[in-house]
Amino acid sequence: MVCLGVMAVAGTGMGVERLILAALSLLLIIVGLRYGIRFAGVLMLDRSRHKLLWELLVKNSGALSLFLAVVTGRSLLAYATIPENLHFAFQKTLNLSAIALAALIAIRMMLGFSKLYLRRFNINAADNLNARKVHTQVRIIERIAIVFIVLMAGVTAALSFEEVREFGVSLLASAGVLGIILGFAAQKSIALIFAGIQIAITQPIRIDDAVIVENEWGWIEEITLTYVVVRLWDRRRLIVPINYFTEKPFQNWTRQSADLLGTVYVYLDYRMPVEEIRMAARQIVESTELWNGDVCAVQVTEFMKDQMQLRILATANSSPETYDLRCYIREKLLEYLLNNFPEALPRIRLQKEDS
């Protein structure tokens, strides 16, 4: 691409030595532009209040310098004395290169802005509900913007050819029939994209939500325009079409807040004093940092034939901590019963009557 700009400016009648010298000169100009933009950005990072813009310029200095070189070559092409067919080839190449580089710069700048913006919202915090909302919306908007930029760049590049423009005019004459055919062919793809936009607006799920999908428990790891990645508890990944979350029921454990109420059921003999279990459960949850200090309750929820059912409730700040807290309560409660009330464990009674 650099050589094309050089040949366009210098013409075809120059010697090989002059052509190589011109190519090296233009290459040095591109390198100088890159490091000039980078140096200016680094310098302004310390002096300007608009650090976001200058940080993005530093990260995209290579693409920006190449884009400026292509635009400069396209402008100087009008002054070149070369054959018409070669002029046309150089012009199209530089135009397509400028379009591709402009799309690349737009995507990288957009992703850079969103990445820097998301720094304000820590998704790893204990109370991360608002951060998860923002991350979900930004991620989906990023993908919509990328699709739009690539589509616009493709259309712009295609319309730069006369043959494509003439073909487009003929398509407009049969736009009704063609629209129906394309509508049926792309029905599912369009439905998926609209489902992604709907989720971005209504947010039935968010990044890092704890969900149960298809009887599998996990966390929302990634949301795209067409599918959702669920990270399961055993580190597997469940890939689900995005319209699943708009058409089918599922469980979202962290829809309103990250803290959860954990439940532990224990079955004991009727001779077990309930108040002793209540005090033991309180001591167990207070001995661990997994409990958030909100709820701790013990209730007798059912009488059975040979035993009673007790339900222990305790809260934690997140779904992983809730799961660990439930396991911790079971382990410590079993240890407590074996050491203090072994006779309270469930047993089957047999009574023999004399005939």
Side-chain angles (χ1 to χ4, degrees), residues 30-193:
I30 295 175
V31 174
L33 282 172
R34 176 181 180 179
Y35 285 99
I37 295 173
R38 191 178 185 86
F39 176 77
V42 172
L43 187 65
M44 293 303 295
L45 277 174
D46 298 328
R47 301 183 180 182
S48 175
R49 291 181 297 176
H50 305 286
K51 294 186 177 181
L52 175 63
L53 177 61
W54 293 107
E55 185 173 349
L56 291 176
L57 287 177
V58 170
K59 292 182 177 181
N60 297 281
S61 57
L64 285 170
S65 59
L66 195 57
F67 176 74
L68 291 175
V70 170
V71 172
T72 303
R74 175 65 180 85
S75 302
L76 296 176
L77 183 61
Y79 302 98
T81 56
I82 56 177
E84 186 67 25
N85 57 346
L86 197 59
H87 185 281
F88 178 80
F90 287 166
Q91 183 182 28
K92 288 300 179 185
T93 303
L94 292 173
N95 286 344
L96 295 177
S97 300
I99 293 171
L101 286 170
L104 176 63
I105 293 171
I107 292 174
R108 294 185 65 177
M109 294 289 281
M110 181 269 300
L111 293 176
F113 272 113
S114 62
K115 184 177 180 180
L116 294 175
Y117 175 72
L118 290 177
R119 288 180 183 177
R120 308 179 189 177
F121 305 94
N122 184 13
I123 201 170
N124 296 319
D127 185 11
N128 61 355
L129 180 62
N130 185 55
R132 290 189 289 110
K133 288 181 180 180
V134 175
H135 275 259
T136 301
Q137 289 180 335
V138 170
R139 298 284 176 81
I140 296 179
I141 292 173
E142 280 179 358
R143 285 161 174 81
I144 295 174
I146 290 174
V147 171
F148 178 77
I149 292 172
V150 172
L151 182 62
M152 292 301 297
V155 171
T156 304
L159 291 178
S160 64
F161 295 93
E162 183 65 27
E163 295 80 1
V164 176
R165 288 199 297 268
E166 293 176 357
F167 181 68
V169 173
S170 63
L171 284 180
L172 290 176
S174 57
V177 178
L178 184 63
I180 296 174
I181 296 174
L182 292 177
F184 278 109
Q187 184 177 4
K188 290 186 177 181
S189 300
I190 295 174
L192 289 175
I193 293 175

Side-chain angles (χ1 to χ4, degrees), residues 16 36 55 131 168 207 216 226 232-233 249 311-312 330 339 345:
V16 177
E55 185 173 349
I207 299 294
E216 296 280 3
T226 55
L232 303 182
W233 65 273
R311 183 179 66 185
I312 303 174
R330 292 190 188 101
N339 293 333
L345 296 175

Side-chain angles (χ1 to χ4, degrees), residues 259-280:
D259 60 326
L260 290 173
L261 182 65
T263 305
V264 175
Y265 288 99
V266 59
Y267 299 89
L268 299 175
D269 191 82
Y270 285 110
R271 292 179 295 177
M272 179 67 206
V274 177
E275 192 60 32
E276 294 290 337
I277 292 293
R278 186 169 286 116
M279 291 188 296

Side-chain angles (χ1 to χ4, degrees), residues 208-221 229-238 240 244-245 250-255 258-262 316-327 330:
D208 210 36
D209 265 347
V211 297
I212 295 181
V213 180
E214 298 292 323
N215 296 322
E216 296 280 3
W217 178 57
W219 297 269
I220 301 296
E221 184 176 53
V229 179
V230 182
R231 185 181 75 255
L232 303 182
W233 65 273
D234 56 0
R235 298 188 179 182
R236 289 179 296 150
R237 299 299 190 270
L238 182 65
V240 185
Y244 178 96
F245 296 95
F250 64 95
Q251 295 185 38
N252 189 337
W253 289 11
T254 53
R255 179 69 178 86
D259 60 326
L260 290 173
L261 182 65
N317 289 325
S318 64
S319 55
E321 292 183 358
T322 303
Y323 181 81
D324 293 339
L325 178 61
R326 292 166 62 193
C327 296
R330 292 190 188 101

Side-chain angles (χ1 to χ4, degrees), residues 1 29 58 109 136 145 176 193 202 225 249 266 281 285 309 312 322 328 334 336:
M1 184 168 54
I29 291 174
V58 170
M109 294 289 281
T136 301
I193 293 175
T202 60
L225 285 179
V266 59
V285 298
Q309 181 190 70
I312 303 174
T322 303
Y328 180 81
L334 178 60
Y336 171 81

